[in-house]
Amino acid sequence: MSEVKSIAIIDDDASVLDATENLVRSYGFKVCKFTSAESYLASIGDIEIDCLITDVQMDGISGVELSQILWESGVKTPIIFITAFPDERIRNRVMAAGAIGFLGKPFESKSLIDCIERALTN
């Protein structure tokens, strides 16, 4: 029996956070949700995450800044970015750094699930 994979979702928009949680949970994943990058960083070590979905633009530490913090500290958790403001320069930057996906909101459910599956098989 395979273990249930844990997906962390970080978004400061409660409606997006809840909708994304419901989608990811409906595919059988365990979900840990956070309203800020700071709260996610505070949880590191307490939980094991197999994939991280983060909003790009948030108050405080942005999703891009969070990814840099994680990557520079050696954390190799696959990251999927979601954003209401898709910017090609940011997309190119995070994808070149190793992101699994960069999806504009609203995104297709299948697009997000495909990114998660790709993240979990890499």
Side-chain angles (χ1 to χ4, degrees):
M1 181 167 169
S2 64
E3 71 176 80
V4 175
K5 299 294 185 179
S6 293
I7 311 298
I9 304 168
I10 309 169
D11 201 310
D12 56 1
D13 181 326
S15 62
V16 172
L17 187 60
D18 290 343
T20 307
E21 173 191 23
N22 290 336
L23 169 66
V24 173
R25 200 178 293 281
S26 75
Y27 279 82
F29 298 109
K30 179 182 173 194
V31 175
C32 300
K33 61 183 187 173
F34 303 89
T35 57
S36 70
E38 290 85 348
S39 61
Y40 175 76
L41 287 170
S43 76
I44 291 180
D46 297 337
I47 56 173
E48 187 170 324
I49 298 298
D50 298 297
C51 179
L52 171 62
I53 300 166
T54 184
D55 190 8
V56 171
Q57 293 184 354
M58 297 181 285
D59 289 335
I61 298 174
S62 73
V64 175
E65 291 167 328
L66 172 63
S67 68
Q68 292 170 327
I69 291 167
L70 294 173
W71 291 332
E72 288 171 5
S73 64
V75 175
K76 303 291 186 211
T77 304
I79 300 175
I80 299 165
F81 292 90
I82 57 176
T83 182
F85 307 98
D87 179 300
E88 199 60 30
R89 290 172 312 204
I90 293 173
R91 180 190 188 288
N92 291 340
R93 189 167 117 208
V94 298
M95 294 302 288
I100 297 295
F102 188 91
L103 303 174
K105 298 176 188 174
F107 48 82
E108 295 289 328
S109 300
K110 183 170 179 0
S111 297
L112 180 62
I113 297 303
D114 287 348
C115 284
I116 292 171
E117 290 175 350
R118 201 165 48 249
L120 299 176
T121 57
N122 284 345

mmCIF file of all heavy atoms in Angstrom, residues 10-13 35-39 55-63 65:
data_model
loop_
_atom_site.group_PDB
_atom_site.id
_atom_site.type_symbol
_atom_site.label_atom_id
_atom_site.label_comp_id
_atom_site.label_asym_id
_atom_site.label_seq_id
_atom_site.Cartn_x
_atom_site.Cartn_y
_atom_site.Cartn_z
ATOM 1 N N ILE A 10 -0.098 27.303 -0.062
ATOM 2 C CA ILE A 10 0.068 28.610 0.572
ATOM 3 C C ILE A 10 -0.597 29.656 -0.310
ATOM 4 O O ILE A 10 -0.233 29.819 -1.476
ATOM 5 C CB ILE A 10 1.557 28.982 0.742
ATOM 6 C CG1 ILE A 10 2.344 27.865 1.422
ATOM 7 C CG2 ILE A 10 1.685 30.300 1.514
ATOM 8 C CD1 ILE A 10 3.844 28.072 1.382
ATOM 9 N N ASP A 11 -1.589 30.340 0.250
ATOM 10 C CA ASP A 11 -2.246 31.432 -0.482
ATOM 11 C C ASP A 11 -2.902 32.335 0.547
ATOM 12 O O ASP A 11 -3.527 31.852 1.487
ATOM 13 C CB ASP A 11 -3.287 30.881 -1.459
ATOM 14 C CG ASP A 11 -3.616 31.870 -2.563
ATOM 15 O OD1 ASP A 11 -3.899 33.051 -2.243
ATOM 16 O OD2 ASP A 11 -3.592 31.479 -3.737
ATOM 17 N N ASP A 12 -2.766 33.646 0.368
ATOM 18 C CA ASP A 12 -3.363 34.577 1.319
ATOM 19 C C ASP A 12 -4.819 34.911 0.973
ATOM 20 O O ASP A 12 -5.477 35.647 1.686
ATOM 21 C CB ASP A 12 -2.527 35.851 1.464
ATOM 22 C CG ASP A 12 -2.275 36.560 0.150
ATOM 23 O OD1 ASP A 12 -2.749 36.095 -0.905
ATOM 24 O OD2 ASP A 12 -1.585 37.594 0.173
ATOM 25 N N ASP A 13 -5.332 34.331 -0.110
ATOM 26 C CA ASP A 13 -6.740 34.481 -0.479
ATOM 27 C C ASP A 13 -7.479 33.239 0.013
ATOM 28 O O ASP A 13 -7.293 32.140 -0.522
ATOM 29 C CB ASP A 13 -6.855 34.621 -2.001
ATOM 30 C CG ASP A 13 -8.286 34.798 -2.472
ATOM 31 O OD1 ASP A 13 -9.207 34.216 -1.869
ATOM 32 O OD2 ASP A 13 -8.482 35.511 -3.477
ATOM 33 N N THR A 35 -1.692 30.402 5.244
ATOM 34 C CA THR A 35 -2.106 31.689 4.705
ATOM 35 C C THR A 35 -0.924 32.610 4.425
ATOM 36 O O THR A 35 -1.108 33.717 3.927
ATOM 37 C CB THR A 35 -3.074 32.398 5.665
ATOM 38 O OG1 THR A 35 -2.439 32.537 6.940
ATOM 39 C CG2 THR A 35 -4.372 31.612 5.808
ATOM 40 N N SER A 36 0.286 32.152 4.736
ATOM 41 C CA SER A 36 1.478 32.965 4.455
ATOM 42 C C SER A 36 2.705 32.073 4.341
ATOM 43 O O SER A 36 2.737 30.961 4.876
ATOM 44 C CB SER A 36 1.702 33.990 5.569
ATOM 45 O OG SER A 36 2.118 33.331 6.763
ATOM 46 N N ALA A 37 3.703 32.603 3.647
ATOM 47 C CA ALA A 37 4.978 31.889 3.545
ATOM 48 C C ALA A 37 5.629 31.779 4.919
ATOM 49 O O ALA A 37 6.257 30.768 5.242
ATOM 50 C CB ALA A 37 5.903 32.613 2.564
ATOM 51 N N GLU A 38 5.446 32.819 5.731
ATOM 52 C CA GLU A 38 6.039 32.809 7.075
ATOM 53 C C GLU A 38 5.493 31.652 7.907
ATOM 54 O O GLU A 38 6.257 30.971 8.601
ATOM 55 C CB GLU A 38 5.765 34.143 7.790
ATOM 56 C CG GLU A 38 6.525 35.324 7.210
ATOM 57 C CD GLU A 38 5.832 35.992 6.016
ATOM 58 O OE1 GLU A 38 4.857 35.451 5.443
ATOM 59 O OE2 GLU A 38 6.296 37.078 5.629
ATOM 60 N N SER A 39 4.174 31.414 7.836
ATOM 61 C CA SER A 39 3.603 30.313 8.620
ATOM 62 C C SER A 39 4.081 28.966 8.083
ATOM 63 O O SER A 39 4.307 28.029 8.850
ATOM 64 C CB SER A 39 2.075 30.387 8.656
ATOM 65 O OG SER A 39 1.524 30.295 7.361
ATOM 66 N N ASP A 55 1.113 30.670 -3.901
ATOM 67 C CA ASP A 55 0.778 31.868 -4.648
ATOM 68 C C ASP A 55 2.068 32.650 -4.876
ATOM 69 O O ASP A 55 3.003 32.574 -4.069
ATOM 70 C CB ASP A 55 -0.218 32.706 -3.830
ATOM 71 C CG ASP A 55 -0.823 33.858 -4.612
ATOM 72 O OD1 ASP A 55 -0.605 33.945 -5.836
ATOM 73 O OD2 ASP A 55 -1.509 34.677 -3.988
ATOM 74 N N VAL A 56 2.139 33.377 -5.968
ATOM 75 C CA VAL A 56 3.325 34.178 -6.253
ATOM 76 C C VAL A 56 3.326 35.448 -5.409
ATOM 77 O O VAL A 56 4.296 35.756 -4.718
ATOM 78 C CB VAL A 56 3.412 34.524 -7.758
ATOM 79 C CG1 VAL A 56 4.511 35.543 -8.025
ATOM 80 C CG2 VAL A 56 3.653 33.261 -8.576
ATOM 81 N N GLN A 57 2.211 36.200 -5.449
ATOM 82 C CA GLN A 57 2.154 37.490 -4.758
ATOM 83 C C GLN A 57 1.369 37.366 -3.464
ATOM 84 O O GLN A 57 0.172 37.081 -3.493
ATOM 85 C CB GLN A 57 1.505 38.541 -5.653
ATOM 86 C CG GLN A 57 2.335 38.869 -6.867
ATOM 87 C CD GLN A 57 1.733 39.992 -7.695
ATOM 88 O OE1 GLN A 57 0.642 40.464 -7.436
ATOM 89 N NE2 GLN A 57 2.468 40.412 -8.705
ATOM 90 N N MET A 58 2.063 37.566 -2.351
ATOM 91 C CA MET A 58 1.435 37.551 -1.033
ATOM 92 C C MET A 58 2.070 38.647 -0.204
ATOM 93 O O MET A 58 3.181 39.089 -0.480
ATOM 94 C CB MET A 58 1.670 36.195 -0.340
ATOM 95 C CG MET A 58 1.061 35.014 -1.048
ATOM 96 S SD MET A 58 1.339 33.456 -0.180
ATOM 97 C CE MET A 58 3.075 33.146 -0.541
ATOM 98 N N ASP A 59 1.346 39.093 0.826
ATOM 99 C CA ASP A 59 1.932 40.037 1.767
ATOM 100 C C ASP A 59 3.101 39.346 2.464
ATOM 101 O O ASP A 59 3.097 38.135 2.643
ATOM 102 C CB ASP A 59 0.898 40.478 2.809
ATOM 103 C CG ASP A 59 -0.174 41.387 2.197
ATOM 104 O OD1 ASP A 59 0.106 42.029 1.175
ATOM 105 O OD2 ASP A 59 -1.277 41.434 2.769
ATOM 106 N N GLY A 60 4.091 40.125 2.881
ATOM 107 C CA GLY A 60 5.252 39.529 3.537
ATOM 108 C C GLY A 60 6.132 38.852 2.505
ATOM 109 O O GLY A 60 6.402 39.399 1.437
ATOM 110 N N ILE A 61 6.543 37.643 2.791
ATOM 111 C CA ILE A 61 7.408 36.881 1.883
ATOM 112 C C ILE A 61 6.566 36.387 0.707
ATOM 113 O O ILE A 61 5.546 35.736 0.901
ATOM 114 C CB ILE A 61 8.060 35.691 2.618
ATOM 115 C CG1 ILE A 61 8.958 36.182 3.757
ATOM 116 C CG2 ILE A 61 8.854 34.824 1.640
ATOM 117 C CD1 ILE A 61 9.515 35.064 4.631
ATOM 118 N N SER A 62 6.996 36.702 -0.508
ATOM 119 C CA SER A 62 6.268 36.255 -1.697
ATOM 120 C C SER A 62 6.589 34.786 -1.976
ATOM 121 O O SER A 62 7.538 34.220 -1.410
ATOM 122 C CB SER A 62 6.665 37.091 -2.922
ATOM 123 O OG SER A 62 7.975 36.738 -3.348
ATOM 124 N N GLY A 63 5.817 34.186 -2.872
ATOM 125 C CA GLY A 63 6.086 32.803 -3.255
ATOM 126 C C GLY A 63 7.452 32.630 -3.893
ATOM 127 O O GLY A 63 8.143 31.637 -3.663
ATOM 128 N N GLU A 65 10.117 34.590 -3.335
ATOM 129 C CA GLU A 65 11.116 34.709 -2.256
ATOM 130 C C GLU A 65 11.165 33.429 -1.425
ATOM 131 O O GLU A 65 12.248 32.970 -1.049
ATOM 132 C CB GLU A 65 10.789 35.897 -1.355
ATOM 133 C CG GLU A 65 10.973 37.233 -2.037
ATOM 134 C CD GLU A 65 10.360 38.390 -1.251
ATOM 135 O OE1 GLU A 65 9.340 38.206 -0.553
ATOM 136 O OE2 GLU A 65 10.924 39.492 -1.347
#
